[in-house]
Amino acid sequence: PDLGIPAGADARDPAAVAAVKQRVISEMVTALRSAGYFRDDDLNDIVRAVMRREQLGTTGIGHGIAIPHSRHPSVDRLIG
């Protein structure tokens, strides 16, 4: 998918990083919804929950790898 990362984007720009993070998380949650893990109605709320979790502290584990996650009442098991 096109995540809208502009050519020559500065990875040190917090606004650019936040915008890309939002798009990546939205794509991830949309893929899980498409796979039937939760109802369509919960998509935006789950994206917001994951973004709130990211605000507590990054889920990055190094080398460009992150494990974004959160809890949501509509999801009763670990998915992903």
Side-chain angles (χ1 to χ4, degrees):
D2 178 13
L3 298 175
I5 303 168
D10 187 348
R12 297 169 295 181
D13 177 6
V17 170
V20 170
K21 185 182 286 191
Q22 172 79 35
R23 287 190 294 271
V24 169
I25 288 172
S26 291
E27 286 289 327
M28 175 189 73
V29 174
T30 297
L32 292 170
R33 185 213 48 211
S34 296
Y37 285 105
F38 52 86
R39 297 184 327 245
D40 291 349
D41 296 349
D42 293 323
L43 176 70
N44 292 329
D45 196 37
I46 292 172
V47 169
R48 281 191 297 275
V50 174
M51 291 302 295
R52 278 192 304 272
R53 168 58 187 85
E54 283 292 315
Q55 289 175 347
L56 295 175
T58 182
T59 58
I61 60 174
H63 303 287
I65 299 170
I67 306 172
H69 61 282
S70 186
R71 292 179 185 224
H72 192 272
S74 70
V75 180
D76 62 357
R77 65 191 184 287
L78 181 64
I79 59 174

